[in-house]
Amino acid sequence: MELVHTIPEVRRRVAAARQKGKRVGFVPTMGYLHEGHLRLIDRCRERADYCVVSVFVNPTQFGPGEDYERYPRDLERDRRLLKERGVDLVFAPDVAEMYPEEPFIRFQIEKLADHLCGPRRPGHFSGVLLVVAKLFHIVQPDVAVFGQKDLQQLLLIRRMVRDLNFPLEIVAGPTVREPDGLAMSSRNAYLSPEERRQATVLYRSLQRAKELVQEGERSARNVREAMRAMIESTPGARIDYIEIVDLEELQPVERLEGRVAIALAVHVGPARLIDNLVLEIRGDDVREIPAI
Ligand code: AMP
């Protein structure tokens, strides 16, 4: 495994791999890796012969007052984990390498950022698309893998690739959870032991929602209200949003049918945590879709 910090070094390594006929896979991350990231890497290695991982805490996707400065970082540990997992190339640029000057060009997003995290984090997805587009141009992968944990991000990136004709395939990886259901996240490091216990309410409320739907509930409002009641009765948890949306345009639905996502963001102590569940509902048949 090689670790490089500059764009020309990445381009040289990837060009050499391609010369040998290798298919290039890519997993972008912000580091402080956990099993959720590592499973995306396993997926990447199943679909490509040369696996590139980036580790970069991207300042343009953090709003003022968000956790850019305190976001956890440990490149030495990440390097060790990535090597054990069979990654070929790690790209860990500094901010000046990615943004030598203030970028003047940004993405304007229609529809897909109107709900969920979009309005709560103005500019966030525009910053995500900016860095992902840059990374795609730098690495030029054949396939890139993203987690369903960040569902809105996944769908936005898929759409960017389609709208802008990036020649690559986007593959989704299922949300990887702790044994008690909490979705793995680098931000879980912010939680005290007590907050860590409270944080399981996100998963528990999603499981309750799924049960209700399996029992025949189809009203989005009723499902949301049941989740709200559960979370509001958890000390330390403060709801940012609970929404049920379609998967084409991420617009709220009134009735649960076809493919829908139940998504939420909840503040627990110093952390803002997100989670979601994708269901496919056909008549009485209710199935969870772990990777869309
Ligand atoms: P991040 O480092 O948080 O920007 O995440 C990098 C990639 O890992 C994104 O595609 C995330 O969706 C994905 N990811 C983060 N947490 C998980 C998880 N618990 N399960 C699956 N994928 C995840």
Side-chain angles (χ1 to χ4, degrees), residues 9-41:
E9 287 172 306
V10 176
R11 289 201 195 281
R12 257 200 310 279
R13 279 6 173 240
V14 173
R18 219 177 259 298
Q19 274 263 299
K20 294 184 194 144
K22 293 191 173 174
R23 183 173 152 86
V24 178
F26 179 43
V27 182
T29 82
M30 298 206 297
Y32 211 72
L33 302 176
H34 50 67
E35 191 60 25
H37 298 112
L38 299 177
R39 300 263 184 92
L40 299 184
I41 289 161

Side-chain angles (χ1 to χ4, degrees), residues 23 61 85 111-112 121 203-204 206 208 220 228 283:
R23 183 173 152 86
Q61 72 187 69
R85 217 64 170 211
K111 290 219 163 106
L112 292 178
R121 301 187 71 188
Y203 177 69
R204 287 187 285 112
L206 287 170
R208 179 71 195 124
R228 174 175 303 283

Side-chain angles (χ1 to χ4, degrees), residues 28-30 34 36-37 40 71 146-147 149-150 153 174-176 184:
T29 82
M30 298 206 297
H34 50 67
H37 298 112
L40 299 184
Y71 196 87
F146 290 84
K149 153 102 183 340
D150 300 276
Q153 168 176 287
T175 301
V176 179
M184 289 188 185

